Amino acid sequence: MPYLSLPGVDLWFEDTGGAGTPVILLHAASGTTECWIHQLPTFTAAGYRCISYDRRTWGRSRPTDSGPHPGFAGDDLHALLDSLALDRVHLVGTAAGAIPALDYALSHPERVRSLVAANTIGGVQDDDYLDLQRRLRPQQIQDLPVELRELGPSYRGRDPEGAARWLEIEMVSRPYGPIPTQPLREPITYQRLGTMQVPVMVLSGEADLLSPPALMRLLSDHIPTSRFVSLPYAGHAGFWERPHVWNGLVLEFLGQY
């Protein structure tokens, strides 16, 4: 698969091709394009063209000396769409990948058909939201091993091999070590979310420790175009833990737009 050369990075992306409506998949902080193995066959069978990419500093996207780093997260996404001559796309982001997706949908609604924001705190900066976030995600949760933080107990007990594969992907997801996180061009606030023009599905996992359903419901409540959906028995990686149900919910939503 090709690289897209951008200032400060060669961005790795994968494209299933075809004439279907494009879907852009944005991975979590604990993953790369490798995480979408349970989505790509189903989405392409449904007629969609799927494009996923390793966000800057993750996976096979490699830093370069070609320009400033880290840049803005939405700019990389915008450049990818332009390079592939994609007019309007569906955005499907999970966890940290959903934050730049939200930002992009707010900044460029003319380029976005719909947005799925799954298992994410959304990056909201309002004080009451941050206070609730601190109470629901105390440091003790942050200090857990990553597989305990992110994979629900039902899944870990039911599919230890799948949990091990997820952990393998996570362990090699940041080959260049800690690099400054890309900022958003504008902070995400309740007021800004209230201007959303794009249809949004906020998809929660009922066993998610990092993006608890109560926090995600509050996020959804401030997006006038959103609907809130909860996935039983799923932790922070619902797309990996319960892919058949997760895929069905997402495809039903995308099919409306």
Side-chain angles (χ1 to χ4, degrees):
M1 289 293 176
Y3 282 98
L4 173 63
S5 293
L6 298 175
V9 67
D10 288 333
L11 200 73
W12 171 268
F13 69 95
E14 299 185 1
D15 183 356
T16 62
T21 301
V23 177
I24 310 295
L25 300 163
L26 295 98
H27 63 78
S30 54
T32 65
T33 55
E34 299 294 323
C35 285
W36 300 114
I37 57 174
H38 300 305
Q39 280 67 52
L40 294 178
T42 304
F43 281 45
T44 54
Y48 290 100
R49 174 185 176 183
C50 296
I51 299 105
S52 57
Y53 67 101
D54 288 346
R55 295 188 294 116
R56 188 180 293 237
T57 77
W58 274 272
R60 284 168 283 189
S61 287
R62 55 199 182 203
T64 69
D65 296 327
S66 61
H69 185 82
F72 295 101
D75 290 354
D76 289 350
L77 176 56
H78 196 66
L80 179 63
L81 266 59
D82 283 349
S83 72
L84 297 175
L86 301 177
D87 181 20
R88 297 179 67 229
V89 303
H90 297 291
L91 297 180
V92 177
T94 186
I99 297 175
L102 275 164
D103 179 52
Y104 191 81
L106 288 162
S107 301
H108 299 281
E110 74 285 352
R111 302 294 292 273
V112 182
R113 292 175 178 269
S114 75
L115 165 64
V116 175
N119 298 91
T120 185
I121 58 175
V124 177
Q125 297 300 302
D126 294 79
D127 288 341
D128 63 335
Y129 190 87
L130 293 174
D131 181 60
L132 178 61
Q133 180 179 315
R134 283 188 288 268
R135 285 185 279 127
L136 292 178
R137 323 183 337 151
Q139 190 59 47
Q140 293 93 324
I141 288 177
Q142 310 295 329
D143 292 341
L144 288 171
V146 63
E147 67 273 21
L148 301 186
R149 288 198 313 263
E150 302 208 13
L151 297 177
S154 295
Y155 177 72
R156 296 197 312 273
R158 183 181 73 250
D159 190 351
E161 291 183 1
R165 177 60 186 138
W166 180 91
L167 185 58
E168 286 176 359
I169 294 171
E170 195 283 329
M171 294 296 288
V172 297
S173 64
R174 300 298 293 270
Y176 301 102
I179 299 176
T181 302
Q182 286 181 289
L184 306 179
R185 279 199 173 272
E186 294 182 51
I188 294 179
T189 63
Y190 290 157
Q191 182 177 10
R192 191 170 177 226
L193 288 173
T195 69
M196 181 70 79
Q197 302 174 40
V198 171
V200 179
M201 181 168 72
V202 176
L203 179 53
S204 174
E206 290 185 2
D208 190 345
L209 296 178
L210 290 181
S211 302
L215 197 63
M216 292 198 64
R217 192 177 291 276
L218 183 59
L219 172 69
S220 180
D221 286 346
H222 284 85
I223 302 174
T225 58
S226 81
R227 71 185 69 175
F228 178 84
V229 179
S230 184
L231 185 60
Y233 311 113
H236 193 59
F239 70 100
W240 183 276
E241 299 173 45
R242 302 198 66 197
H244 298 300
V245 181
W246 195 94
N247 292 349
L249 291 169
V250 172
L251 288 173
E252 180 183 12
F253 175 72
L254 299 187
Q256 299 174 51
Y257 306 102

